[in-house]
Amino acid sequence: MEARRKIIIGNWKMNGRSKDLVDIDLLFKKIPQQEIDIVIAPPATLLYELKGLNTPKNLLLSGQNCHQVESGAYTGEISAAMLKDAGANYVILGHSERRTVYKETSTLVRLKALEAVKQGLTPIICVGEHLKSYENNQTLSVIERQLKVSLNSKIICDNLVIAYEPVWAIGSNKTPSPEEIEKVHSFIKNHISERFGEHATNHCRIIYGGSVNKNNALKIFSLINVDGGLIGGASLKATDFLELIMIMQNSLN
Ligand code: PGA
């Protein structure tokens, strides 16, 4: 089996302006060049500017959301083609903030993912349960439903990323136990394997997100079925994000 490269993704959410890019150079200079893939998902307004900086080869850019059609009369929306044009390679889809605040369904996530793939973007598809489902032991059934509807064979491209992000863990300083994370990741892996076969299983990366910080990162990144991390708060400062990148690097040894 081919080893999947670990990937760390910084999701800046609705944070960041040009003036905040001053210390990004530090990140660019210090990140390890080879071993892991690094992705930054800035607000769409900064994609083009970031692309213009001297970004290392293993640092790619991502959008945080896209529309499900290519262009048209959709005021305020941004298409996958536009993200690609501005320098993105990836796009985060179905983040719990989109699902909860903007009522995005798994069906919509699938349509967006299809459009993203059509435009040459790699989807980062987020799934995760609310606290109530976690407490009622329904995590796996929630994840299964989200995966069943959000994915189909046309979305299974070689770099596809699935992010397990328990909604209650995001920005809360709480995380599931390592055993719980491992259980969900291995469940997702089996789901991919049963539906899409061995090649997809070997290439799709399953990453964890939700309150990852310098204290818990090594444990989480070292889990067998965790191929990386989706980082919110701790990706906003270049020095904090760099620290997590280095921890991921250490988890390889
Ligand atoms: P957090 O956010 O790291 O701040 O918990 C993760 C995310 O929302 O992707």
Side-chain angles (χ1 to χ4, degrees):
M1 183 186 121
E2 252 176 77
R4 291 177 298 280
R5 276 168 70 87
K6 288 217 174 187
I7 182 167
I8 184 164
I9 302 168
N11 174 14
W12 290 5
K13 308 190 181 184
M14 200 173 74
N15 297 291
R17 295 186 245 167
S18 288
K19 67 176 172 56
D20 301 316
L21 298 182
V22 284
D23 60 349
I24 202 89
D25 249 7
L26 168 98
L27 187 69
F28 291 176
K29 281 199 193 101
K30 296 210 172 154
I31 60 170
Q33 294 292 315
Q34 300 295 335
E35 297 84 350
I36 51 183
D37 292 336
I38 299 160
V39 177
I40 293 180
T45 47
L46 287 182
L47 277 172
Y48 194 68
E49 195 170 334
L50 268 169
K51 188 71 188 169
L53 300 176
N54 207 4
T55 50
K57 239 171 85 194
N58 60 331
L59 189 146
L60 295 173
L61 299 174
S62 174
Q64 298 179 10
N65 175 41
C66 70
H67 196 269
Q68 65 274 25
V69 308
E70 189 171 336
S71 62
Y74 300 99
T75 302
E77 290 291 330
I78 187 154
S79 71
M82 290 166 182
L83 291 174
K84 179 88 185 163
D85 190 44
N89 293 84
Y90 288 85
V91 60
I92 299 172
L93 295 173
H95 188 281
S96 76
E97 285 146 23
R98 303 281 330 163
R99 290 180 187 263
T100 308
V101 185
Y102 302 100
K103 309 289 174 239
E104 290 194 2
T105 60
S106 292
T107 302
L108 184 61
V109 172
R110 184 181 69 244
L111 295 174
K112 289 181 174 205
L114 284 167
E115 177 59 20
V117 171
K118 190 172 136 205
Q119 300 300 338
L121 289 179
T122 299
I124 299 160
I125 295 182
C126 303
V127 294
E129 80 286 0
H130 282 269
L131 183 60
K132 204 158 173 212
S133 306
Y134 173 75
E135 288 173 343
N136 290 335
N137 261 326
Q138 291 166 336
T139 298
L140 296 184
S141 58
V142 169
I143 303 290
E144 182 173 33
R145 233 179 7 252
Q146 290 175 333
L147 290 174
K148 256 190 185 156
V149 182
S150 305
L151 296 179
N152 72 19
S153 59
K154 293 200 178 103
I155 295 166
I156 302 293
C157 52
D158 272 0
N159 292 319
L160 182 72
V161 178
I162 309 277
Y164 169 50
E165 295 208 305
V167 181
W168 53 273
I170 295 175
S172 65
N173 245 335
K174 294 187 188 129
T175 61
S177 69
E179 293 74 26
E180 287 171 322
I181 295 174
E182 183 61 28
K183 189 170 159 194
V184 176
H185 280 235
S186 107
F187 178 82
I188 295 173
K189 194 170 172 184
N190 285 337
H191 179 99
I192 306 267
S193 159
E194 276 166 25
R195 276 180 74 193
F196 306 111
E198 195 183 328
H199 183 86
T201 316
N202 290 344
H203 286 80
C204 170
R205 288 179 282 190
I206 305 166
I207 67 175
Y208 171 80
S211 292
V212 176
N213 59 43
K214 62 179 179 188
N215 300 319
N216 59 25
L218 186 60
K219 239 194 177 129
I220 294 174
F221 295 159
S222 304
L223 293 169
I224 291 179
N225 285 309
V226 172
D227 300 313
L230 179 51
I231 319 295
S235 73
L236 292 178
K237 270 207 212 136
T239 43
D240 292 348
F241 193 45
L242 185 61
E243 204 166 356
L244 291 182
I245 292 170
M246 291 316 195
I247 293 174
M248 180 170 285
Q249 172 89 0
N250 289 337
S251 78
L252 301 177
N253 305 322

PDB file of all heavy atoms in Angstrom, residues 77-97:
ATOM      1  N   GLU A  77     -21.835  35.369  -4.184  1.00  0.00           N
ATOM      2  CA  GLU A  77     -21.277  34.021  -4.165  1.00  0.00           C
ATOM      3  C   GLU A  77     -19.929  33.968  -4.894  1.00  0.00           C
ATOM      4  O   GLU A  77     -19.570  34.883  -5.642  1.00  0.00           O
ATOM      5  CB  GLU A  77     -22.254  33.033  -4.821  1.00  0.00           C
ATOM      6  CG  GLU A  77     -23.497  32.780  -3.997  1.00  0.00           C
ATOM      7  CD  GLU A  77     -23.199  32.008  -2.722  1.00  0.00           C
ATOM      8  OE1 GLU A  77     -22.245  31.197  -2.710  1.00  0.00           O
ATOM      9  OE2 GLU A  77     -23.921  32.208  -1.723  1.00  0.00           O
ATOM     10  N   ILE A  78     -19.231  32.876  -4.691  1.00  0.00           N
ATOM     11  CA  ILE A  78     -17.935  32.695  -5.364  1.00  0.00           C
ATOM     12  C   ILE A  78     -17.898  31.276  -5.940  1.00  0.00           C
ATOM     13  O   ILE A  78     -18.326  30.324  -5.278  1.00  0.00           O
ATOM     14  CB  ILE A  78     -16.781  32.981  -4.385  1.00  0.00           C
ATOM     15  CG1 ILE A  78     -15.441  32.961  -5.100  1.00  0.00           C
ATOM     16  CG2 ILE A  78     -16.747  32.029  -3.208  1.00  0.00           C
ATOM     17  CD1 ILE A  78     -14.408  33.824  -4.396  1.00  0.00           C
ATOM     18  N   SER A  79     -17.452  31.150  -7.178  1.00  0.00           N
ATOM     19  CA  SER A  79     -17.489  29.827  -7.814  1.00  0.00           C
ATOM     20  C   SER A  79     -16.149  29.112  -7.663  1.00  0.00           C
ATOM     21  O   SER A  79     -15.115  29.739  -7.391  1.00  0.00           O
ATOM     22  CB  SER A  79     -17.828  29.965  -9.307  1.00  0.00           C
ATOM     23  OG  SER A  79     -16.733  30.534  -9.987  1.00  0.00           O
ATOM     24  N   ALA A  80     -16.201  27.814  -7.907  1.00  0.00           N
ATOM     25  CA  ALA A  80     -14.966  27.012  -7.854  1.00  0.00           C
ATOM     26  C   ALA A  80     -13.979  27.514  -8.911  1.00  0.00           C
ATOM     27  O   ALA A  80     -12.769  27.595  -8.665  1.00  0.00           O
ATOM     28  CB  ALA A  80     -15.300  25.539  -8.083  1.00  0.00           C
ATOM     29  N   ALA A  81     -14.515  27.884 -10.083  1.00  0.00           N
ATOM     30  CA  ALA A  81     -13.645  28.370 -11.162  1.00  0.00           C
ATOM     31  C   ALA A  81     -12.919  29.648 -10.727  1.00  0.00           C
ATOM     32  O   ALA A  81     -11.748  29.862 -11.063  1.00  0.00           O
ATOM     33  CB  ALA A  81     -14.476  28.627 -12.417  1.00  0.00           C
ATOM     34  N   MET A  82     -13.628  30.486  -9.973  1.00  0.00           N
ATOM     35  CA  MET A  82     -12.999  31.739  -9.502  1.00  0.00           C
ATOM     36  C   MET A  82     -11.904  31.456  -8.475  1.00  0.00           C
ATOM     37  O   MET A  82     -10.854  32.095  -8.477  1.00  0.00           O
ATOM     38  CB  MET A  82     -14.052  32.648  -8.867  1.00  0.00           C
ATOM     39  CG  MET A  82     -15.028  33.218  -9.856  1.00  0.00           C
ATOM     40  SD  MET A  82     -16.422  33.923  -8.950  1.00  0.00           S
ATOM     41  CE  MET A  82     -17.409  34.463 -10.340  1.00  0.00           C
ATOM     42  N   LEU A  83     -12.164  30.499  -7.602  1.00  0.00           N
ATOM     43  CA  LEU A  83     -11.153  30.135  -6.598  1.00  0.00           C
ATOM     44  C   LEU A  83      -9.896  29.622  -7.290  1.00  0.00           C
ATOM     45  O   LEU A  83      -8.774  29.982  -6.950  1.00  0.00           O
ATOM     46  CB  LEU A  83     -11.697  29.065  -5.643  1.00  0.00           C
ATOM     47  CG  LEU A  83     -12.812  29.497  -4.689  1.00  0.00           C
ATOM     48  CD1 LEU A  83     -13.331  28.285  -3.917  1.00  0.00           C
ATOM     49  CD2 LEU A  83     -12.324  30.564  -3.712  1.00  0.00           C
ATOM     50  N   LYS A  84     -10.130  28.778  -8.277  1.00  0.00           N
ATOM     51  CA  LYS A  84      -9.007  28.205  -9.034  1.00  0.00           C
ATOM     52  C   LYS A  84      -8.222  29.338  -9.707  1.00  0.00           C
ATOM     53  O   LYS A  84      -6.994  29.385  -9.661  1.00  0.00           O
ATOM     54  CB  LYS A  84      -9.584  27.239 -10.080  1.00  0.00           C
ATOM     55  CG  LYS A  84      -8.591  26.575 -10.947  1.00  0.00           C
ATOM     56  CD  LYS A  84      -8.077  25.308 -10.334  1.00  0.00           C
ATOM     57  CE  LYS A  84      -6.981  24.725 -11.187  1.00  0.00           C
ATOM     58  NZ  LYS A  84      -6.191  23.755 -10.488  1.00  0.00           N
ATOM     59  N   ASP A  85      -8.965  30.240 -10.310  1.00  0.00           N
ATOM     60  CA  ASP A  85      -8.357  31.371 -11.010  1.00  0.00           C
ATOM     61  C   ASP A  85      -7.519  32.230 -10.055  1.00  0.00           C
ATOM     62  O   ASP A  85      -6.496  32.800 -10.431  1.00  0.00           O
ATOM     63  CB  ASP A  85      -9.503  32.206 -11.609  1.00  0.00           C
ATOM     64  CG  ASP A  85      -9.006  33.271 -12.556  1.00  0.00           C
ATOM     65  OD1 ASP A  85      -8.132  32.957 -13.373  1.00  0.00           O
ATOM     66  OD2 ASP A  85      -9.487  34.418 -12.467  1.00  0.00           O
ATOM     67  N   ALA A  86      -7.968  32.319  -8.803  1.00  0.00           N
ATOM     68  CA  ALA A  86      -7.261  33.162  -7.821  1.00  0.00           C
ATOM     69  C   ALA A  86      -6.081  32.432  -7.175  1.00  0.00           C
ATOM     70  O   ALA A  86      -5.370  33.005  -6.356  1.00  0.00           O
ATOM     71  CB  ALA A  86      -8.239  33.635  -6.753  1.00  0.00           C
ATOM     72  N   GLY A  87      -5.913  31.140  -7.508  1.00  0.00           N
ATOM     73  CA  GLY A  87      -4.722  30.452  -7.009  1.00  0.00           C
ATOM     74  C   GLY A  87      -4.979  29.278  -6.079  1.00  0.00           C
ATOM     75  O   GLY A  87      -4.041  28.697  -5.540  1.00  0.00           O
ATOM     76  N   ALA A  88      -6.257  28.924  -5.855  1.00  0.00           N
ATOM     77  CA  ALA A  88      -6.540  27.803  -4.945  1.00  0.00           C
ATOM     78  C   ALA A  88      -6.371  26.457  -5.649  1.00  0.00           C
ATOM     79  O   ALA A  88      -6.599  26.348  -6.858  1.00  0.00           O
ATOM     80  CB  ALA A  88      -7.955  27.923  -4.390  1.00  0.00           C
ATOM     81  N   ASN A  89      -5.984  25.444  -4.884  1.00  0.00           N
ATOM     82  CA  ASN A  89      -5.968  24.055  -5.367  1.00  0.00           C
ATOM     83  C   ASN A  89      -7.023  23.222  -4.667  1.00  0.00           C
ATOM     84  O   ASN A  89      -7.425  22.169  -5.155  1.00  0.00           O
ATOM     85  CB  ASN A  89      -4.611  23.408  -5.089  1.00  0.00           C
ATOM     86  CG  ASN A  89      -3.520  24.037  -5.891  1.00  0.00           C
ATOM     87  OD1 ASN A  89      -2.964  25.063  -5.494  1.00  0.00           O
ATOM     88  ND2 ASN A  89      -3.244  23.478  -7.057  1.00  0.00           N
ATOM     89  N   TYR A  90      -7.405  23.657  -3.486  1.00  0.00           N
ATOM     90  CA  TYR A  90      -8.372  22.921  -2.677  1.00  0.00           C
ATOM     91  C   TYR A  90      -9.571  23.814  -2.374  1.00  0.00           C
ATOM     92  O   TYR A  90      -9.506  25.035  -2.517  1.00  0.00           O
ATOM     93  CB  TYR A  90      -7.754  22.539  -1.321  1.00  0.00           C
ATOM     94  CG  TYR A  90      -6.712  21.452  -1.375  1.00  0.00           C
ATOM     95  CD1 TYR A  90      -5.374  21.746  -1.661  1.00  0.00           C
ATOM     96  CD2 TYR A  90      -7.048  20.133  -1.106  1.00  0.00           C
ATOM     97  CE1 TYR A  90      -4.414  20.738  -1.678  1.00  0.00           C
ATOM     98  CE2 TYR A  90      -6.083  19.130  -1.119  1.00  0.00           C
ATOM     99  CZ  TYR A  90      -4.776  19.441  -1.399  1.00  0.00           C
ATOM    100  OH  TYR A  90      -3.830  18.443  -1.414  1.00  0.00           O
ATOM    101  N   VAL A  91     -10.665  23.190  -1.895  1.00  0.00           N
ATOM    102  CA  VAL A  91     -11.758  23.981  -1.324  1.00  0.00           C
ATOM    103  C   VAL A  91     -12.397  23.183  -0.182  1.00  0.00           C
ATOM    104  O   VAL A  91     -12.635  21.982  -0.306  1.00  0.00           O
ATOM    105  CB  VAL A  91     -12.808  24.394  -2.390  1.00  0.00           C
ATOM    106  CG1 VAL A  91     -13.460  23.194  -3.079  1.00  0.00           C
ATOM    107  CG2 VAL A  91     -13.885  25.286  -1.769  1.00  0.00           C
ATOM    108  N   ILE A  92     -12.579  23.865   0.950  1.00  0.00           N
ATOM    109  CA  ILE A  92     -13.244  23.239   2.095  1.00  0.00           C
ATOM    110  C   ILE A  92     -14.751  23.267   1.826  1.00  0.00           C
ATOM    111  O   ILE A  92     -15.298  24.307   1.465  1.00  0.00           O
ATOM    112  CB  ILE A  92     -12.946  24.020   3.396  1.00  0.00           C
ATOM    113  CG1 ILE A  92     -11.440  24.020   3.692  1.00  0.00           C
ATOM    114  CG2 ILE A  92     -13.739  23.445   4.575  1.00  0.00           C
ATOM    115  CD1 ILE A  92     -11.036  24.928   4.865  1.00  0.00           C
ATOM    116  N   LEU A  93     -15.397  22.121   1.995  1.00  0.00           N
ATOM    117  CA  LEU A  93     -16.851  22.073   1.764  1.00  0.00           C
ATOM    118  C   LEU A  93     -17.548  21.400   2.941  1.00  0.00           C
ATOM    119  O   LEU A  93     -17.019  20.462   3.534  1.00  0.00           O
ATOM    120  CB  LEU A  93     -17.146  21.299   0.471  1.00  0.00           C
ATOM    121  CG  LEU A  93     -16.611  21.963  -0.809  1.00  0.00           C
ATOM    122  CD1 LEU A  93     -16.793  21.047  -2.011  1.00  0.00           C
ATOM    123  CD2 LEU A  93     -17.311  23.306  -1.067  1.00  0.00           C
ATOM    124  N   GLY A  94     -18.733  21.899   3.259  1.00  0.00           N
ATOM    125  CA  GLY A  94     -19.527  21.273   4.318  1.00  0.00           C
ATOM    126  C   GLY A  94     -18.972  21.482   5.708  1.00  0.00           C
ATOM    127  O   GLY A  94     -19.251  20.687   6.621  1.00  0.00           O
ATOM    128  N   HIS A  95     -18.190  22.549   5.902  1.00  0.00           N
ATOM    129  CA  HIS A  95     -17.732  22.850   7.266  1.00  0.00           C
ATOM    130  C   HIS A  95     -18.963  23.019   8.153  1.00  0.00           C
ATOM    131  O   HIS A  95     -20.001  23.519   7.711  1.00  0.00           O
ATOM    132  CB  HIS A  95     -16.884  24.124   7.255  1.00  0.00           C
ATOM    133  CG  HIS A  95     -16.223  24.383   8.574  1.00  0.00           C
ATOM    134  ND1 HIS A  95     -16.893  24.927   9.638  1.00  0.00           N
ATOM    135  CD2 HIS A  95     -14.957  24.143   9.001  1.00  0.00           C
ATOM    136  CE1 HIS A  95     -16.071  25.015  10.666  1.00  0.00           C
ATOM    137  NE2 HIS A  95     -14.885  24.539  10.308  1.00  0.00           N
ATOM    138  N   SER A  96     -18.835  22.655   9.411  1.00  0.00           N
ATOM    139  CA  SER A  96     -20.034  22.670  10.275  1.00  0.00           C
ATOM    140  C   SER A  96     -20.619  24.076  10.410  1.00  0.00           C
ATOM    141  O   SER A  96     -21.819  24.235  10.602  1.00  0.00           O
ATOM    142  CB  SER A  96     -19.704  22.097  11.653  1.00  0.00           C
ATOM    143  OG  SER A  96     -18.994  23.036  12.394  1.00  0.00           O
ATOM    144  N   GLU A  97     -19.751  25.096  10.268  1.00  0.00           N
ATOM    145  CA  GLU A  97     -20.310  26.460  10.331  1.00  0.00           C
ATOM    146  C   GLU A  97     -21.201  26.728   9.121  1.00  0.00           C
ATOM    147  O   GLU A  97     -22.198  27.448   9.219  1.00  0.00           O
ATOM    148  CB  GLU A  97     -19.165  27.486  10.439  1.00  0.00           C
ATOM    149  CG  GLU A  97     -18.574  27.484  11.838  1.00  0.00           C
ATOM    150  CD  GLU A  97     -17.079  27.749  11.901  1.00  0.00           C
ATOM    151  OE1 GLU A  97     -16.512  28.352  10.974  1.00  0.00           O
ATOM    152  OE2 GLU A  97     -16.460  27.337  12.913  1.00  0.00           O
TER     153      GLU A  97
END
